[in-house]
């Protein structure tokens, strides 16, 4: 009996320390790529960690009577406080985001969105229960591996997601991230299905990767995909006059370049999740810590350092194309991003505003780079709520023109 009691005590203590270790990554900036995955995940499954810490705390309080009890209680309590801080930050963050949307799009911007479109959207920015049960995506049709270009003999394809019923729908072009050197159009299928189920034809496109192919190859591939969409819009049930570009990280960088510096399609809006905007400054002032080795990534992408290739860095930076009458822009960054710092989102937002453009900047106080990797995570619930509203405002009301 004594041995069993000791075993339970050690097990509870171990679980409390594991839960505290995981919870601590909500606050700790990650120094390496593997730890970045842990840091992103901890912040997004915070409700799960809250429940785990609560169960361990109650178990330690009720069952333990030995010296390990105090340590287990302290560890669980600290974990609870960390998780509680993040969850307590949701309401003020959401209020700031709502204010930013209304300030830029108009206090009545939701009234301009068709009731049918609004009824399909999430009804609340964050639902605690959705962290556990997931976010319903809905039925869609999916076309795989549609080849749109063959540069240098390499087939580039796209994944196309369509609403369940045939029709003509606004087009959402999705560009994946991966530091310009990795990734696939098959990434983040939950987001693509979710948007298709709500009345968009989603084109998740591919592009060539660095360092084998350097800029502007990636931008050429994005433009080739837009040409393909324009020429085949009717075939794939897309409205070529109502197009929004969406990208994550390096994909957001490519989306902004295409939206601000191309006339292939009449882009109604561009949505950037944590996209790089000023490559010269990003090279000269990398984040600390720097889990992806920013300078090496940029050298692979552009072929050298900015001191030797200043023009290349300039023309590859979206901020170089901020001018009057560019596409309305939604920028979403994590304030704790240690790959593409939120200050760059603020920088391009200020530039867009100064030139008289429509731009919305939303910051998520606790979020790291890649916060939407967990589709039902805390940060992605907020991002998704405002992304679908901005998207509908841009293509379903005529205000994105």
């Amino acid at each position: 009996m004594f041995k069993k009691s000791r075993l339970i005590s050690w097990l509870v203590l171990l679980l409390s320390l594991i839960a505290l270790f995981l919870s601590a990554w909500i606050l700790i900036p990650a120094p390496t790529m593997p730890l970045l995955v842990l840091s992103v995940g901890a912040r997004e499954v915070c409700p799960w960690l809250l429940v785990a810490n609560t169960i361990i705390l109650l178990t330690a309080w009720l069952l333990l009577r030995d010296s390990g009890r105090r340590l287990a209680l302290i560890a669980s309590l600290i974990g609870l406080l960390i998780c509680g801080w993040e969850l307590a930050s949701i309401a003020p963050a959401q209020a700031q985001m709502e204010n930013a949307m209304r300030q830029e799009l108009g206090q009545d911007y939701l009234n301009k969105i068709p009731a049918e479109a609004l009824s399909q959207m999430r009804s609340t920015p964050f639902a605690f229960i959705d962290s556990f049960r997931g976010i319903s995506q809905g039925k869609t049709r999916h076309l795989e591996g549609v080849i749109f270009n063959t540069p240098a003999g390499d087939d580039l394809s796209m994944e196309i997601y369509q609403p369940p019923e045939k029709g003509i729908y606004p087009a959402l072009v999705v560009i994946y991230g991966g530091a310009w050197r990795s990734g696939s159009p098959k990434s983040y299928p939950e987001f693509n299905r979710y948007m298709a189920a709500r009345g968009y034809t989603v084109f998740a496109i591919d592009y060539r990767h660095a360092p084998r192919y350097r800029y502007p190859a990636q931008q050429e591939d994005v433009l080739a995909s837009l040409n393909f969409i324009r020429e085949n819009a009717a075939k794939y049930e897309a409205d070529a006059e109502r197009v929004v570009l969406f990208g994550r990280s390096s994909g957001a960088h490519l989306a902004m370049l295409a939206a601000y510096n191309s006339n292939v399609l009449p882009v109604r809006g561009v949505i950037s999740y944590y996209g790089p905007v000023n490559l010269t400054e990003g090279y000269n002032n990398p984040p600390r810590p720097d889990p992806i080795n920013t300078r090496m990534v940029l050298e692979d992408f552009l072929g050298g350092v900015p001191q030797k290739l200043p023009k290349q860095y300039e023309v590859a930076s979206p901020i170089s194309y901020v001018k009057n009458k560019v596409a309305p822009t939604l920028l979403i960054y994590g304030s704790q991003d240690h790959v593409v710092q939120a200050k760059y989102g603020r920088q391009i937002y200020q530039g867009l505003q100064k030139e008289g453009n429509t731009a919305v900047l939303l910051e998520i106080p606790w979020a790291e780079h890649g916060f939407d990797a967990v589709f039902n995570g805390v940060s992605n619930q907020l991002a998704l709520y405002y992304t679908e509203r901005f998207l509908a405002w841009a293509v379903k009301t005529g205000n994105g023109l």
Side-chain angles (χ1 to χ4, degrees):
M1 186 68 180
F2 175 75
K3 289 183 178 180
K4 183 178 180 180
S5 176
R6 292 290 294 173
L7 180 62
I8 292 173
S9 178
W10 278 108
L11 179 60
V12 173
L13 178 58
L14 177 62
L15 291 174
S16 70
L17 294 174
I18 291 173
L20 175 58
F21 172 77
L22 295 174
S23 302
W25 286 100
I26 293 174
L27 302 176
I28 301 173
T32 65
M33 193 63 192
L35 290 176
L36 179 63
V37 174
L38 183 60
S39 183
V40 172
R43 297 162 201 257
E44 302 317 317
V45 300
C46 178
W48 287 82
L49 291 174
L50 180 82
V51 171
N53 279 297
T54 301
I55 292 172
I56 295 168
L57 179 72
L58 293 174
T59 302
W61 178 264
L62 295 173
L63 297 184
L64 303 191
R65 292 291 181 268
D66 58 13
S67 57
R69 182 191 194 205
R70 177 177 295 180
L71 184 55
L73 289 172
I74 292 173
S76 299
L77 183 59
I78 294 173
L80 272 175
L81 290 173
I82 294 172
C83 295
W85 165 79
E86 179 177 323
L87 294 175
S89 301
I90 293 175
Q94 188 271 323
Q96 290 179 353
M97 295 167 87
E98 182 65 35
N99 182 63
M101 291 285 286
R102 292 184 180 277
Q103 182 176 334
E104 189 60 24
L105 306 186
Q107 293 296 322
D108 62 342
Y109 82 97
L110 290 177
N111 296 334
K112 299 177 182 179
I113 298 173
E116 181 182 0
L118 276 174
S119 68
Q120 295 180 312
M121 298 179 190
R122 289 178 57 76
S123 59
T124 182
F126 174 72
F128 190 83
I129 189 62
D130 285 351
S131 300
F132 299 91
R133 70 183 179 187
I135 296 173
S136 176
Q137 293 160 36
K139 295 181 179 180
T140 61
R141 292 170 291 152
H142 181 196
L143 300 174
E144 299 183 69
V146 177
I147 296 174
F148 67 87
N149 198 24
T150 309
D154 295 326
D155 287 342
L156 293 177
S157 65
M158 59 175 66
E159 303 290 302
I160 303 176
Y161 299 79
Q162 299 164 310
E165 304 296 332
K166 288 188 176 182
I168 299 296
Y169 301 97
L172 178 64
V173 181
V174 176
I175 312 174
Y176 60 81
W180 302 285
R181 58 187 180 185
S182 64
S184 164
K186 294 182 181 293
S187 302
Y188 296 83
E190 301 91 345
F191 175 86
N192 298 333
R193 286 194 294 264
Y194 180 92
M195 288 301 178
R198 279 144 190 86
Y200 301 93
T201 297
V202 179
F203 299 89
I205 69 166
D206 201 1
Y207 56 88
R208 287 169 288 174
H209 295 161
R212 181 183 177 190
Y213 297 104
R214 293 198 164 103
Y215 182 85
Q218 295 75 17
Q219 193 59 24
E220 292 169 355
D221 296 340
V222 171
L223 297 181
S225 75
L226 297 182
N227 268 314
F228 179 89
I229 292 167
R230 181 190 62 194
E231 294 170 1
N232 296 275
K235 178 180 178 180
Y236 295 112
E237 303 175 24
D239 183 348
E241 297 297 318
R242 293 188 293 164
V243 178
V244 170
L245 307 185
F246 172 96
R248 301 177 176 88
S249 194
S250 57
H253 160 268
L254 296 173
M256 286 185 282
L257 282 179
Y260 300 158
N261 192 36
S262 167
N263 58 3
V264 174
L265 282 172
V267 175
R268 294 285 193 96
V270 58
I271 301 170
S272 166
Y273 279 18
Y274 41 86
V277 302
N278 188 330
L279 303 193
T280 303
E281 190 172 331
Y283 187 97
N284 291 332
N285 298 287
R288 294 287 185 266
D290 184 5
I292 70 165
N293 192 344
T294 298
R295 286 178 173 171
M296 183 182 71
V297 167
L298 289 171
E299 288 175 28
D300 284 347
F301 178 51
L302 295 170
V305 302
Q307 290 77 14
K308 292 185 178 181
L309 300 170
K311 190 63 178 178
Q312 187 80 333
Y313 274 74
E314 180 185 349
V315 299
S317 296
I319 201 164
S320 300
Y321 304 99
V322 169
K323 54 188 180 297
N324 187 249
K325 294 185 180 179
V326 299
T329 304
L330 174 64
L331 305 156
I332 306 184
Y333 288 78
S335 298
Q336 303 304 313
D337 195 321
H338 290 86
V339 176
V340 180
Q341 299 170 81
K343 67 180 181 181
Y344 295 114
R346 296 180 208 123
Q347 187 179 92
I348 198 166
Y349 167 74
Q350 291 165 1
L352 289 165
Q353 289 269 296
K354 184 178 179 180
E355 292 293 330
N357 295 291
T358 299
V360 180
L361 173 64
L362 307 180
E363 280 194 46
I364 305 175
W366 58 83
E368 246 288 4
H369 197 78
F371 57 74
D372 58 321
V374 182
F375 188 64
N376 58 325
V378 178
S379 301
N380 191 56
Q381 288 195 43
L382 286 172
L384 187 63
Y385 181 88
Y386 289 108
T387 293
E388 60 182 344
R389 281 158 175 75
F390 177 88
L391 182 56
W393 171 86
V395 298
K396 296 186 176 182
T397 67
N399 290 288
L401 290 171

